């Protein structure tokens, strides 16, 4: 296309993921599956990005009920990969891996907030019924 729009980095399609009545694990699996790559972000960048997402998906499958462990690991890995990127800005694989970590951190936060809203709604409904 001849448009002047910049290619968008891979992102989660939040419009097509409903967080209601599903677990955080299910939300995260849908989020990971919804990531798409524009042509500019394929190659080494895309390989690093997908490698990170696949690695964390496997870790989440091993412990689907406690994603807090994953959240802590993602935070630590973000710090580690940020340091790597400072040393070598031109490493597309590392940049893709780092961007995937940031995407995971944001998705984990969104899934947590969605669960909190769901719990708050249920508590308020119970409170209204009690009155």
């Amino acid at each position: 296309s001849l448009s002047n729009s910049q290619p968008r980095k891979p992102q989660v399609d939040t419009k097509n993921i409903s967080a209601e009545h599903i677990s955080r694990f299910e939300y995260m699996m849908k989020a990971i599956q919804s990531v798409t790559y524009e042509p500019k972000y394929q190659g080494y960048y895309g390989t690093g990005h997908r490698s990170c997402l696949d690695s964390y998906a496997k870790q989440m499958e091993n412990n689907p009920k406690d994603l807090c462990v994953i959240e802590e690991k993602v935070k630590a890995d973000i710090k580690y990969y940020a340091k790597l990127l400072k040393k070598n800005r031109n490493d597309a694989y590392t940049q893709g891996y780092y961007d995937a970590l940031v995407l995971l951190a944001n998705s984990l936060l969104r899934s947590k907030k969605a669960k909190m809203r769901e719990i708050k709604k249920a508590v308020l409904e119970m409170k209204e019924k009690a009155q």
Side-chain angles (χ1 to χ4, degrees):
S1 100
L2 298 175
S3 68
N4 290 333
S5 66
Q6 293 286 336
R8 293 190 341 226
K9 285 189 176 184
Q11 60 189 21
V12 172
D13 186 6
T14 56
K15 293 175 187 159
N16 292 328
I17 301 175
S18 173
E20 287 190 33
H21 308 297
I22 63 171
S23 69
R24 287 184 71 200
F25 170 74
E26 291 169 321
Y27 178 91
M28 289 303 299
M29 290 298 110
K30 287 182 179 185
I32 289 171
Q33 291 168 357
S34 77
V35 175
T36 57
Y37 301 91
E38 292 190 9
K40 179 184 177 187
Y41 292 107
Q42 294 175 359
Y44 289 123
Y45 178 94
T47 302
H49 200 275
R50 182 49 58 190
S51 173
C52 177
L53 295 180
D54 291 345
S55 169
Y56 275 95
K58 286 178 186 167
Q59 291 178 45
M60 287 182 221
E61 287 172 359
N62 291 335
N63 197 4
K65 297 206 184 280
D66 186 12
L67 295 186
C68 293
V69 173
I70 301 295
E71 286 178 274
E72 294 304 316
K73 186 163 179 6
V74 168
K75 286 179 189 176
D77 282 353
I78 285 174
K79 289 178 184 177
Y80 174 77
Y81 278 90
K83 288 178 184 175
L84 281 180
L85 282 175
K86 282 184 181 180
K87 292 178 184 173
N88 188 2
R89 271 270 170 227
N90 297 326
D91 185 1
Y93 182 91
T94 304
Q95 182 66 52
Y97 202 95
Y98 174 81
D99 287 348
L101 287 167
V102 171
L103 181 140
L104 283 169
N106 291 335
S107 294
L108 284 162
L109 182 61
R110 271 196 308 277
S111 73
K112 184 185 283 187
K113 286 183 176 181
K115 267 300 155 203
M116 287 183 197
R117 280 191 302 273
E118 193 173 322
I119 291 168
K120 180 181 176 183
K121 183 179 175 183
V123 168
L124 289 175
E125 286 174 3
M126 289 171 48
K127 193 175 181 181
E128 284 179 7
K129 286 180 184 177
Q131 290 179 353

